[in-house]
Coordinates of all heavy atoms in Angstrom, one line a residue:
M861 N -67.0 -99.2 109.4 CA -66.2 -97.9 109.5 C -66.4 -97.2 110.8 O -67.5 -97.0 111.3 CB -66.6 -96.9 108.4 CG -65.9 -97.1 107.0 SD -64.1 -96.8 107.1 CE -64.1 -95.0 107.0
S862 N -65.3 -97.0 111.5 CA -65.4 -96.3 112.8 C -65.3 -94.8 112.5 O -64.8 -94.3 111.5 CB -64.4 -96.8 113.8 OG -63.1 -96.6 113.2
E863 N -65.7 -94.0 113.5 CA -65.6 -92.6 113.4 C -64.1 -92.1 113.4 O -63.3 -92.7 114.0 CB -66.3 -92.0 114.6 CG -67.6 -91.3 114.3 CD -68.2 -90.6 115.5 OE1 -68.6 -91.3 116.4 OE2 -68.1 -89.4 115.5
V864 N -63.9 -91.1 112.7 CA -62.5 -90.6 112.6 C -62.4 -89.2 113.3 O -63.2 -88.4 113.2 CB -62.1 -90.4 111.1 CG1 -60.8 -89.6 110.9 CG2 -61.9 -91.8 110.4
C865 N -61.2 -89.1 114.0 CA -61.0 -87.8 114.7 C -60.7 -86.7 113.7 O -59.9 -86.8 112.8 CB -59.8 -88.0 115.7 SG -59.2 -86.4 116.3
P866 N -61.4 -85.5 113.9 CA -61.2 -84.4 112.9 C -59.9 -83.8 113.1 O -59.4 -83.1 112.2 CB -62.3 -83.4 113.3 CG -62.7 -83.8 114.7 CD -62.5 -85.2 114.9
N867 N -59.2 -84.0 114.2 CA -57.9 -83.3 114.5 C -56.7 -84.1 113.8 O -55.9 -83.5 113.1 CB -57.6 -83.2 115.9 CG -58.3 -82.1 116.6 OD1 -58.5 -81.1 116.0 ND2 -58.8 -82.3 117.8
C868 N -56.6 -85.4 114.1 CA -55.5 -86.2 113.6 C -55.8 -87.1 112.5 O -54.9 -87.7 111.9 CB -54.9 -86.9 114.8 SG -56.0 -88.1 115.5
G869 N -57.1 -87.4 112.2 CA -57.5 -88.2 111.1 C -57.5 -89.7 111.5 O -57.8 -90.5 110.6
L870 N -57.1 -90.0 112.7 CA -57.1 -91.4 113.1 C -58.5 -91.9 113.6 O -59.3 -91.0 114.0 CB -56.1 -91.6 114.3 CG -54.6 -91.6 114.0 CD1 -53.8 -91.6 115.2 CD2 -54.2 -92.8 113.1
P871 N -58.8 -93.2 113.5 CA -60.0 -93.6 114.1 C -60.1 -93.2 115.6 O -59.1 -93.2 116.3 CB -60.0 -95.2 114.0 CG -59.0 -95.4 112.9 CD -58.0 -94.3 113.0
K872 N -61.3 -92.9 116.1 CA -61.5 -92.4 117.4 C -60.9 -93.3 118.5 O -60.4 -92.8 119.5 CB -63.0 -92.3 117.7 CG -63.6 -91.0 117.1 CD -63.8 -89.9 118.1 CE -64.0 -88.5 117.5 NZ -65.4 -88.2 117.2
E873 N -60.9 -94.6 118.3 CA -60.3 -95.5 119.3 C -58.8 -95.4 119.4 O -58.2 -95.8 120.4 CB -60.8 -96.9 119.2 CG -60.4 -97.6 117.9 CD -61.6 -97.5 116.9 OE1 -62.3 -96.5 116.9 OE2 -61.6 -98.4 116.0
L874 N -58.2 -94.9 118.4 CA -56.7 -94.8 118.4 C -56.2 -93.4 118.7 O -55.1 -93.1 119.0 CB -56.1 -95.1 117.0 CG -56.3 -96.6 116.5 CD1 -55.7 -96.8 115.1 CD2 -55.6 -97.6 117.5
C875 N -57.2 -92.4 118.6 CA -56.8 -91.0 118.8 C -56.5 -90.7 120.2 O -57.1 -91.2 121.2 CB -58.1 -90.2 118.4 SG -58.0 -88.5 119.0
V876 N -55.4 -89.9 120.4 CA -55.0 -89.5 121.7 C -55.0 -88.0 121.9 O -54.4 -87.5 122.8 CB -53.6 -90.1 122.1 CG1 -53.6 -91.6 122.2 CG2 -52.6 -89.6 121.0
C877 N -55.7 -87.3 121.0 CA -55.7 -85.8 121.0 C -56.1 -85.3 122.3 O -55.5 -84.4 122.9 CB -56.6 -85.3 119.9 SG -55.9 -85.6 118.3
E878 N -57.2 -85.8 122.8 CA -57.8 -85.3 124.1 C -56.9 -85.5 125.3 O -56.7 -84.6 126.1 CB -59.1 -86.0 124.4 CG -60.1 -85.2 125.1 CD -61.5 -85.9 125.1 OE1 -62.1 -86.1 124.1 OE2 -61.9 -86.2 126.3
A879 N -56.2 -86.7 125.3 CA -55.3 -87.0 126.4 C -54.1 -86.0 126.3 O -53.6 -85.5 127.3 CB -54.8 -88.4 126.3
I880 N -53.6 -85.8 125.1 CA -52.5 -84.9 124.9 C -52.9 -83.5 125.4 O -52.1 -82.8 126.1 CB -52.0 -84.8 123.5 CG1 -51.3 -86.2 123.1 CG2 -51.1 -83.7 123.2 CD1 -51.0 -86.3 121.7
A881 N -54.1 -83.0 125.0 CA -54.5 -81.7 125.4 C -54.6 -81.6 127.0 O -54.2 -80.5 127.5 CB -55.9 -81.4 124.9
K882 N -55.0 -82.6 127.6 CA -55.1 -82.6 129.1 C -53.8 -82.5 129.7 O -53.5 -81.8 130.7 CB -55.9 -83.8 129.6 CG -57.4 -83.6 129.5 CD -58.1 -84.0 130.8 CE -59.6 -83.7 130.8 NZ -60.4 -84.8 130.3
E883 N -52.8 -83.3 129.2 CA -51.5 -83.4 129.7 C -50.7 -82.1 129.6 O -49.9 -81.7 130.4 CB -50.7 -84.6 129.1 CG -50.9 -85.8 129.9 CD -50.3 -87.0 129.1 OE1 -49.3 -86.8 128.3 OE2 -50.8 -88.1 129.3
S884 N -50.9 -81.4 128.4 CA -50.1 -80.2 128.2 C -50.7 -79.0 128.9 O -50.1 -78.0 128.9 CB -50.1 -80.0 126.7 OG -51.4 -79.7 126.2
E885 N -51.9 -79.2 129.5 CA -52.5 -78.1 130.2 C -51.7 -77.8 131.5 O -51.6 -78.7 132.4 CB -53.9 -78.6 130.5 CG -54.8 -77.6 131.1 CD -56.2 -78.2 131.3 OE1 -56.9 -78.4 130.3 OE2 -56.5 -78.4 132.5
K886 N -51.2 -76.7 131.6 CA -50.5 -76.3 132.8 C -51.2 -75.1 133.5 O -51.5 -74.1 132.9 CB -49.0 -75.8 132.4 CG -48.1 -76.9 132.2 CD -47.5 -77.3 133.6 CE -46.5 -78.5 133.4 NZ -46.3 -79.3 134.6
I887 N -51.4 -75.3 134.8 CA -52.0 -74.3 135.5 C -51.0 -73.6 136.4 O -50.2 -74.3 137.1 CB -53.2 -74.9 136.4 CG1 -54.3 -75.4 135.5 CG2 -53.7 -73.9 137.4 CD1 -55.3 -76.3 136.1
R888 N -51.0 -72.3 136.4 CA -50.0 -71.6 137.2 C -50.7 -70.8 138.3 O -51.6 -70.1 138.0 CB -49.2 -70.6 136.3 CG -47.7 -70.7 136.4 CD -47.1 -69.7 135.5 NE -46.3 -68.8 136.4 CZ -46.2 -67.5 136.2 NH1 -46.7 -66.9 135.1 NH2 -45.5 -66.8 137.0
I889 N -50.2 -71.0 139.5 CA -50.7 -70.2 140.6 C -49.6 -69.3 141.1 O -48.5 -69.7 141.4 CB -51.2 -71.1 141.8 CG1 -52.2 -72.2 141.3 CG2 -51.8 -70.3 142.9 CD1 -52.4 -73.3 142.3
F890 N -49.9 -68.0 141.2 CA -48.9 -67.1 141.7 C -49.5 -65.9 142.4 O -50.7 -65.6 142.2 CB -47.9 -66.6 140.6 CG -48.6 -66.0 139.4 CD1 -48.6 -64.6 139.2 CD2 -49.2 -66.8 138.4 CE1 -49.2 -64.0 138.1 CE2 -49.9 -66.2 137.3 CZ -49.8 -64.8 137.2
E891 N -48.7 -65.3 143.2 CA -49.1 -64.1 144.0 C -48.6 -62.9 143.4 O -47.4 -62.8 143.0 CB -48.7 -64.3 145.4 CG -49.5 -65.5 146.1 CD -48.9 -66.0 147.4 OE1 -47.8 -65.5 147.8 OE2 -49.5 -66.9 148.0
V892 N -49.4 -61.8 143.4 CA -48.9 -60.5 142.9 C -49.2 -59.5 143.9 O -50.2 -59.6 144.6 CB -49.5 -60.1 141.5 CG1 -49.0 -61.0 140.4 CG2 -51.1 -60.2 141.6
K893 N -48.4 -58.5 144.0 CA -48.6 -57.4 144.9 C -49.4 -56.3 144.2 O -49.1 -55.9 143.1 CB -47.3 -56.8 145.3 CG -47.3 -56.1 146.7 CD -46.0 -55.7 147.2 CE -45.7 -56.3 148.6 NZ -44.3 -56.0 149.0
K894 N -50.5 -55.9 144.8 CA -51.3 -54.9 144.1 C -51.1 -53.5 144.8 O -50.2 -53.4 145.7 CB -52.8 -55.3 144.3 CG -53.1 -56.7 143.9 CD -53.2 -56.8 142.4 CE -54.6 -56.3 141.9 NZ -54.8 -56.6 140.5
R895 N -51.9 -52.6 144.4 CA -51.7 -51.3 145.0 C -51.9 -51.3 146.5 O -52.6 -52.2 147.0 CB -52.8 -50.3 144.4 CG -52.3 -49.6 143.2 CD -53.3 -48.6 142.7 NE -54.5 -49.4 142.3 CZ -55.6 -48.8 141.9 NH1 -55.8 -47.5 142.0 NH2 -56.7 -49.6 141.5
Y896 N -51.3 -50.4 147.2 CA -51.3 -50.3 148.7 C -50.8 -51.6 149.4 O -51.2 -51.9 150.5 CB -52.8 -50.0 149.2 CG -53.4 -48.9 148.4 CD1 -54.6 -49.1 147.6 CD2 -52.9 -47.6 148.4 CE1 -55.2 -48.1 146.9 CE2 -53.5 -46.6 147.6 CZ -54.6 -46.9 146.9 OH -55.2 -45.9 146.2
G897 N -50.0 -52.3 148.7 CA -49.3 -53.5 149.3 C -50.2 -54.7 149.5 O -49.9 -55.7 150.2
K898 N -51.4 -54.7 148.8 CA -52.3 -55.8 148.9 C -51.8 -56.9 148.0 O -51.3 -56.7 147.0 CB -53.8 -55.4 148.5 CG -54.4 -54.6 149.6 CD -55.9 -54.4 149.3 CE -56.6 -53.6 150.4 NZ -57.9 -53.1 149.9
I899 N -52.0 -58.2 148.5 CA -51.6 -59.3 147.7 C -52.8 -60.0 147.1 O -53.9 -60.2 147.7 CB -50.9 -60.4 148.6 CG1 -49.8 -59.7 149.4 CG2 -50.4 -61.6 147.8 CD1 -48.5 -59.5 148.7
S900 N -52.7 -60.4 145.8 CA -53.7 -61.2 145.2 C -53.1 -62.5 144.7 O -51.9 -62.6 144.3 CB -54.3 -60.5 144.0 OG -55.2 -59.5 144.4
T901 N -53.9 -63.6 144.7 CA -53.4 -64.8 144.1 C -54.1 -65.1 142.8 O -55.3 -65.0 142.7 CB -53.8 -66.0 145.1 OG1 -53.3 -65.7 146.4 CG2 -53.2 -67.3 144.6
L902 N -53.3 -65.3 141.8 CA -53.9 -65.5 140.4 C -53.7 -67.0 140.0 O -52.7 -67.6 140.3 CB -53.1 -64.7 139.4 CG -53.1 -63.1 139.6 CD1 -52.5 -62.5 138.4 CD2 -54.5 -62.6 139.8
V903 N -54.8 -67.5 139.3 CA -54.8 -68.8 138.8 C -54.9 -68.7 137.3 O -56.0 -68.3 136.8 CB -55.9 -69.7 139.4 CG1 -55.8 -71.1 138.9 CG2 -55.9 -69.6 140.9
Q904 N -53.9 -69.1 136.6 CA -53.9 -68.9 135.1 C -53.7 -70.3 134.4 O -53.0 -71.2 134.9 CB -52.6 -68.1 134.9 CG -52.6 -67.3 133.6 CD -51.4 -66.5 133.5 OE1 -50.3 -67.0 133.6 NE2 -51.5 -65.2 133.2
G905 N -54.3 -70.4 133.2 CA -54.0 -71.5 132.4 C -55.0 -72.6 132.4 O -54.7 -73.7 131.8
M906 N -56.1 -72.4 133.0 CA -57.2 -73.4 132.9 C -57.8 -73.5 131.5 O -58.0 -72.4 130.9 CB -58.3 -73.1 134.0 CG -58.1 -73.9 135.2 SD -59.5 -73.6 136.3 CE -59.0 -72.1 137.1
S907 N -58.0 -74.7 131.0 CA -58.5 -74.8 129.7 C -60.0 -74.4 129.6 O -60.6 -74.3 130.6 CB -58.3 -76.2 129.2 OG -59.5 -77.0 129.4
R908 N -60.4 -74.1 128.4 CA -61.8 -73.7 128.2 C -62.8 -74.7 128.6 O -64.0 -74.4 128.8 CB -62.0 -73.3 126.7 CG -61.4 -72.0 126.4 CD -61.3 -71.8 124.9 NE -60.3 -70.8 124.5 CZ -60.4 -69.5 124.6 NH1 -61.6 -69.0 124.9 NH2 -59.4 -68.7 124.3
D909 N -62.3 -76.0 128.6 CA -63.3 -77.1 128.9 C -63.6 -77.1 130.4 O -64.6 -77.7 130.8 CB -62.6 -78.4 128.6 CG -62.2 -78.5 127.1 OD1 -62.8 -77.8 126.3 OD2 -61.2 -79.2 126.9
V910 N -62.7 -76.4 131.2 CA -62.9 -76.4 132.6 C -64.0 -75.4 133.0 O -64.0 -74.3 132.4 CB -61.6 -76.1 133.3 CG1 -61.8 -75.9 134.8 CG2 -60.6 -77.2 133.1
D911 N -64.8 -75.7 134.0 CA -65.8 -74.8 134.4 C -65.1 -73.8 135.4 O -65.2 -74.0 136.6 CB -66.9 -75.6 135.1 CG -67.9 -74.7 135.8 OD1 -68.0 -73.5 135.5 OD2 -68.6 -75.2 136.7
S912 N -64.5 -72.8 134.8 CA -63.8 -71.8 135.7 C -64.6 -71.1 136.7 O -64.2 -70.8 137.8 CB -63.1 -70.8 134.8 OG -62.6 -71.3 133.6
K913 N -65.9 -70.8 136.3 CA -66.8 -70.2 137.2 C -67.0 -71.0 138.4 O -67.1 -70.6 139.6 CB -68.1 -69.8 136.5 CG -68.1 -68.5 135.8 CD -69.5 -68.2 135.3 CE -69.4 -67.0 134.4 NZ -70.6 -66.9 133.5
G914 N -67.2 -72.3 138.2 CA -67.5 -73.3 139.3 C -66.2 -73.4 140.2 O -66.4 -73.4 141.4
V915 N -65.1 -73.4 139.6 CA -63.8 -73.4 140.3 C -63.7 -72.2 141.2 O -63.3 -72.3 142.4 CB -62.6 -73.6 139.4 CG1 -61.3 -73.5 140.2 CG2 -62.6 -74.9 138.7
L916 N -64.0 -71.0 140.6 CA -63.9 -69.8 141.4 C -64.8 -69.8 142.5 O -64.5 -69.4 143.7 CB -64.2 -68.6 140.4 CG -64.4 -67.2 141.1 CD1 -63.1 -66.8 141.7 CD2 -64.9 -66.2 140.1
R917 N -66.1 -70.3 142.3 CA -67.1 -70.3 143.4 C -66.5 -71.2 144.5 O -66.6 -70.9 145.7 CB -68.4 -70.9 142.8 CG -69.6 -70.5 143.6 CD -70.9 -71.1 143.1 NE -70.9 -71.0 141.6 CZ -71.1 -72.0 140.8 NH1 -71.2 -73.2 141.2 NH2 -71.2 -71.8 139.5
E918 N -66.0 -72.3 144.1 CA -65.4 -73.3 145.1 C -64.3 -72.7 145.9 O -64.2 -72.8 147.1 CB -65.0 -74.5 144.4 CG -64.8 -75.8 145.2 CD -66.1 -76.3 145.7 OE1 -67.2 -76.1 145.0 OE2 -66.1 -76.9 146.8
L919 N -63.4 -72.0 145.2 CA -62.3 -71.4 145.9 C -62.7 -70.3 146.9 O -62.2 -70.2 148.0 CB -61.3 -70.8 144.9 CG -60.5 -71.8 144.0 CD1 -59.8 -71.1 142.9 CD2 -59.5 -72.5 144.9
K920 N -63.7 -69.5 146.4 CA -64.1 -68.4 147.3 C -64.8 -68.9 148.5 O -64.6 -68.4 149.6 CB -65.1 -67.5 146.5 CG -64.5 -66.5 145.6 CD -65.4 -66.0 144.5 CE -66.4 -64.9 145.1 NZ -67.2 -64.4 144.0
T921 N -65.6 -70.0 148.4 CA -66.2 -70.6 149.5 C -65.2 -71.2 150.5 O -65.3 -70.9 151.7 CB -67.2 -71.7 149.0 OG1 -68.0 -71.2 148.1 CG2 -68.0 -72.3 150.2
R922 N -64.3 -72.0 150.0 CA -63.3 -72.7 150.8 C -62.3 -71.7 151.5 O -61.8 -72.0 152.6 CB -62.6 -73.7 150.1 CG -63.6 -74.8 149.6 CD -62.8 -76.0 149.1 NE -63.7 -77.0 148.4 CZ -63.5 -78.3 148.4 NH1 -62.5 -78.8 148.9 NH2 -64.4 -79.0 147.8
L923 N -62.0 -70.7 150.8 CA -61.0 -69.7 151.3 C -61.6 -68.5 152.0 O -60.9 -67.8 152.7 CB -60.1 -69.2 150.2 CG -59.2 -70.3 149.5 CD1 -58.7 -69.7 148.2 CD2 -58.1 -70.8 150.4
A924 N -62.9 -68.4 151.9 CA -63.7 -67.3 152.5 C -63.0 -66.0 152.1 O -62.7 -65.1 152.9 CB -63.8 -67.5 154.0
C925 N -62.8 -65.8 150.8 CA -62.3 -64.5 150.3 C -63.0 -64.1 149.1 O -63.8 -64.8 148.5 CB -60.8 -64.7 150.0 SG -60.5 -65.8 148.6
G926 N -62.7 -62.9 148.7 CA -63.3 -62.3 147.4 C -62.5 -62.8 146.2 O -61.3 -63.1 146.4
G927 N -63.2 -62.8 145.1 CA -62.5 -63.2 143.9 C -63.2 -62.9 142.6 O -64.4 -62.7 142.7
T928 N -62.5 -62.8 141.5 CA -63.1 -62.5 140.2 C -62.5 -63.4 139.2 O -61.5 -64.0 139.3 CB -62.8 -61.0 139.8 OG1 -61.4 -60.8 139.8 CG2 -63.5 -60.0 140.7
L929 N -63.3 -63.5 138.0 CA -62.8 -64.2 136.9 C -62.8 -63.3 135.7 O -63.7 -62.6 135.4 CB -63.8 -65.4 136.6 CG -63.5 -66.2 135.4 CD1 -62.2 -67.0 135.6 CD2 -64.6 -67.2 135.1
K930 N -61.5 -63.1 135.1 CA -61.4 -62.2 134.0 C -60.5 -62.8 132.9 O -59.4 -63.2 133.2 CB -60.8 -60.9 134.5 CG -61.1 -59.7 133.6 CD -60.5 -58.5 134.1 CE -60.4 -57.4 133.1 NZ -59.6 -56.3 133.4
D931 N -61.0 -62.9 131.7 CA -60.3 -63.6 130.6 C -59.8 -64.9 131.0 O -58.6 -65.3 130.6 CB -59.2 -62.7 130.1 CG -59.7 -61.3 129.7 OD1 -60.8 -61.2 129.1 OD2 -59.0 -60.3 130.0
G932 N -60.5 -65.7 131.7 CA -60.1 -67.1 132.1 C -59.1 -67.1 133.2 O -58.6 -68.2 133.6
V933 N -58.8 -66.0 133.8 CA -57.8 -65.9 134.9 C -58.6 -65.7 136.2 O -59.3 -64.7 136.3 CB -56.7 -64.9 134.7 CG1 -55.8 -64.8 135.9 CG2 -55.9 -65.1 133.4
I934 N -58.4 -66.5 137.2 CA -59.0 -66.3 138.5 C -58.1 -65.4 139.3 O -56.9 -65.6 139.4 CB -59.3 -67.7 139.1 CG1 -60.4 -68.4 138.4 CG2 -59.6 -67.5 140.6 CD1 -60.7 -69.8 138.9
E935 N -58.7 -64.4 140.0 CA -58.0 -63.6 140.9 C -58.7 -63.6 142.2 O -59.8 -63.4 142.4 CB -57.9 -62.1 140.4 CG -57.2 -61.2 141.4 CD -56.9 -59.8 140.8 OE1 -57.0 -59.6 139.6 OE2 -56.6 -58.9 141.6
L936 N -57.9 -64.0 143.2 CA -58.4 -64.1 144.6 C -57.7 -63.1 145.5 O -56.5 -62.9 145.3 CB -58.2 -65.5 145.1 CG -58.8 -66.7 144.4 CD1 -58.1 -68.0 144.7 CD2 -60.3 -66.7 144.7
Q937 N -58.5 -62.5 146.4 CA -57.9 -61.5 147.3 C -57.1 -62.3 148.4 O -57.7 -63.2 149.1 CB -58.9 -60.6 147.9 CG -59.5 -59.6 146.9 CD -60.8 -59.0 147.3 OE1 -61.2 -59.1 148.4 NE2 -61.5 -58.5 146.3
G938 N -55.9 -61.9 148.6 CA -55.1 -62.5 149.7 C -54.1 -63.5 149.2 O -53.9 -63.7 148.0
R939 N -53.3 -64.0 150.2 CA -52.3 -65.0 149.9 C -52.8 -66.4 150.1 O -53.0 -66.8 151.2 CB -51.2 -64.8 151.0 CG -50.1 -63.8 150.7 CD -48.9 -64.2 151.4 NE -47.7 -63.9 150.7 CZ -46.9 -62.9 150.9 NH1 -47.2 -62.1 151.9 NH2 -45.9 -62.6 150.1
H940 N -53.0 -67.1 149.0 CA -53.5 -68.5 149.1 C -52.9 -69.5 148.3 O -53.4 -70.6 148.0 CB -55.0 -68.4 148.7 CG -55.8 -67.4 149.4 ND1 -56.1 -67.4 150.7 CD2 -56.4 -66.3 148.9 CE1 -56.9 -66.4 151.0 NE2 -57.0 -65.6 150.0
R941 N -51.7 -69.2 147.8 CA -51.0 -70.1 146.8 C -51.1 -71.6 147.1 O -51.6 -72.4 146.3 CB -49.6 -69.7 146.6 CG -49.0 -70.2 145.3 CD -47.8 -69.5 145.0 NE -46.8 -69.6 146.0 CZ -45.7 -68.9 146.1 NH1 -45.4 -68.0 145.2 NH2 -44.9 -69.0 147.1
E942 N -50.6 -72.0 148.3 CA -50.6 -73.4 148.6 C -52.0 -74.0 148.8 O -52.3 -75.1 148.4 CB -49.7 -73.6 149.9 CG -48.2 -73.4 149.6 CD -47.7 -74.2 148.4 OE1 -48.0 -75.3 148.3 OE2 -46.9 -73.6 147.6
K943 N -52.8 -73.2 149.5 CA -54.2 -73.7 149.7 C -55.0 -73.9 148.4 O -55.7 -74.8 148.2 CB -55.0 -72.7 150.6 CG -54.6 -72.8 152.0 CD -55.4 -71.8 152.8 CE -54.9 -71.6 154.2 NZ -55.3 -70.3 154.8
V944 N -54.7 -72.9 147.4 CA -55.4 -73.0 146.1 C -55.0 -74.3 145.4 O -55.8 -75.1 144.9 CB -55.1 -71.8 145.2 CG1 -55.5 -72.1 143.8 CG2 -55.8 -70.6 145.8
K945 N -53.7 -74.6 145.5 CA -53.2 -75.8 144.9 C -53.9 -77.1 145.5 O -54.4 -77.9 144.8 CB -51.7 -75.9 145.1 CG -51.1 -77.1 144.3 CD -49.6 -77.2 144.5 CE -49.1 -78.5 143.7 NZ -47.7 -78.6 143.8
A946 N -53.9 -77.1 146.8 CA -54.6 -78.3 147.5 C -56.0 -78.4 147.1 O -56.5 -79.5 146.8 CB -54.5 -78.1 149.0
I947 N -56.7 -77.3 147.0 CA -58.1 -77.3 146.6 C -58.3 -77.8 145.1 O -59.2 -78.6 144.8 CB -58.8 -75.9 146.8 CG1 -58.9 -75.6 148.3 CG2 -60.2 -75.9 146.2 CD1 -59.2 -74.1 148.6
L948 N -57.4 -77.3 144.2 CA -57.5 -77.7 142.8 C -57.3 -79.2 142.7 O -58.0 -79.9 141.9 CB -56.5 -77.0 142.0 CG -56.8 -75.5 141.7 CD1 -55.7 -74.9 140.8 CD2 -58.2 -75.2 141.1
V949 N -56.4 -79.8 143.5 CA -56.1 -81.2 143.5 C -57.4 -82.0 143.9 O -57.8 -83.0 143.3 CB -54.9 -81.6 144.3 CG1 -54.8 -83.1 144.5 CG2 -53.6 -81.0 143.7
K950 N -58.0 -81.4 145.0 CA -59.2 -82.1 145.5 C -60.3 -82.0 144.4 O -61.2 -82.9 144.3 CB -59.7 -81.4 146.7 CG -59.1 -81.9 148.0 CD -59.7 -81.3 149.2 CE -58.9 -81.6 150.4 NZ -58.8 -80.5 151.4
L951 N -60.3 -81.0 143.6 CA -61.3 -80.8 142.6 C -61.1 -81.7 141.4 O -61.8 -81.8 140.4 CB -61.4 -79.4 142.1 CG -62.0 -78.4 143.1 CD1 -62.0 -77.0 142.6 CD2 -63.5 -78.7 143.5
G952 N -59.9 -82.4 141.4 CA -59.6 -83.3 140.3 C -58.5 -83.0 139.3 O -58.2 -83.7 138.4
F953 N -57.8 -81.8 139.6 CA -56.7 -81.5 138.8 C -55.5 -82.3 139.2 O -55.4 -82.7 140.4 CB -56.4 -80.0 138.9 CG -57.4 -79.1 138.3 CD1 -58.5 -78.6 139.0 CD2 -57.4 -78.8 136.9 CE1 -59.5 -77.8 138.5 CE2 -58.3 -78.0 136.4 CZ -59.4 -77.5 137.2
K954 N -54.6 -82.6 138.3 CA -53.4 -83.4 138.7 C -52.4 -82.5 139.3 O -52.1 -81.4 138.8 CB -52.8 -84.1 137.4 CG -53.7 -85.2 136.9 CD -52.8 -86.2 136.2 CE -53.6 -87.3 135.6 NZ -54.3 -86.9 134.4
E955 N -51.7 -83.0 140.4 CA -50.8 -82.2 141.1 C -49.6 -81.7 140.2 O -49.1 -80.6 140.3 CB -50.2 -83.0 142.3 CG -49.6 -82.1 143.3 CD -49.5 -82.7 144.7 OE1 -50.0 -83.8 144.9 OE2 -48.8 -82.1 145.5
D956 N -49.2 -82.6 139.3 CA -48.0 -82.3 138.5 C -48.3 -81.4 137.3 O -47.4 -81.0 136.5 CB -47.2 -83.6 138.0 CG -48.1 -84.5 137.2 OD1 -49.3 -84.1 136.9 OD2 -47.7 -85.6 136.9
Q957 N -49.6 -81.0 137.1 CA -49.9 -80.0 136.1 C -50.0 -78.6 136.7 O -50.3 -77.7 136.0 CB -51.2 -80.4 135.3 CG -52.5 -80.2 136.0 CD -53.7 -80.6 135.2 OE1 -54.6 -81.2 135.6 NE2 -53.7 -80.2 133.9
I958 N -49.9 -78.6 138.0 CA -50.0 -77.3 138.7 C -48.7 -76.7 139.1 O -47.9 -77.4 139.8 CB -50.9 -77.4 139.9 CG1 -52.3 -78.0 139.5 CG2 -51.1 -76.0 140.6 CD1 -53.2 -78.4 140.7
E959 N -48.4 -75.5 138.6 CA -47.1 -74.9 139.0 C -47.4 -73.8 140.0 O -48.3 -73.0 139.8 CB -46.4 -74.3 137.8 CG -45.7 -75.3 137.0 CD -45.2 -74.7 135.7 OE1 -45.2 -73.5 135.5 OE2 -44.8 -75.5 134.8
T960 N -46.6 -73.7 141.0 CA -46.8 -72.6 142.0 C -45.5 -71.8 142.0 O -44.4 -72.4 141.9 CB -47.1 -73.1 143.4 OG1 -46.1 -74.1 143.7 CG2 -48.5 -73.7 143.5
G961 N -45.6 -70.5 142.0 CA -44.4 -69.7 142.0 C -44.2 -68.9 140.7 O -45.0 -69.0 139.8
Ligands
LIG1272 ZN1 -57.2 -87.2 117.2

């Protein structure tokens, strides 16, 4: 007897639940105007399995900007949409799961 997936009830070797979860994961990067005309870049939709704190640390280092993590949403100071996308791809996210705009 092989192990059975608790989600779909199929044997683990036939189960595709994890693959489906990864594929349906959509990350959105967008810029918002804050008070006094300041721009922030938000990164939304990262799954709980992702080390968001690690991603934030990486983004802050590479972009040399301030940033916070709140309710799973990363907020970076400044306009970085395209750069953030490039960095996320380098970190292993798939380009077609990232939406900008
Ligand atoms: Zn399953």
Side-chain angles (χ1 to χ4, degrees):
M861 274 294 279
S862 56
E863 254 188 286
V864 168
C865 168
N867 283 323
C868 62
L870 286 171
K872 282 259 162 89
E873 62 265 29
L874 295 176
C875 162
V876 290
C877 291
E878 212 172 295
I880 289 171
K882 279 228 171 93
E883 269 170 30
S884 61
E885 189 176 289
K886 275 276 177 202
I887 294 170
R888 231 185 117 216
I889 306 168
F890 56 102
E891 289 164 357
V892 289
K893 207 173 232 174
K894 309 283 281 187
R895 267 182 299 173
Y896 313 117
K898 283 186 179 166
I899 306 283
S900 279
T901 305
L902 301 186
V903 184
Q904 203 180 53
M906 261 186 279
S907 91
R908 285 167 203 278
D909 307 331
V910 174
D911 173 21
S912 321
K913 272 187 192 162
V915 172
L916 171 65
R917 204 182 313 126
E918 199 66 31
L919 289 169
K920 281 163 74 175
T921 306
R922 295 191 190 211
L923 298 167
C925 69
T928 54
L929 178 66
K930 203 181 162 194
D931 302 323
V933 179
I934 288 176
E935 179 172 344
L936 298 159
Q937 287 161 19
R939 271 206 145 104
H940 307 292
R941 201 165 57 193
E942 291 308 317
K943 282 182 195 159
V944 167
K945 185 178 178 181
I947 293 167
L948 290 182
V949 170
K950 274 187 194 143
L951 290 176
F953 292 91
K954 288 207 184 78
E955 199 161 352
D956 57 10
Q957 75 178 137
I958 304 170
E959 279 173 14
T960 50

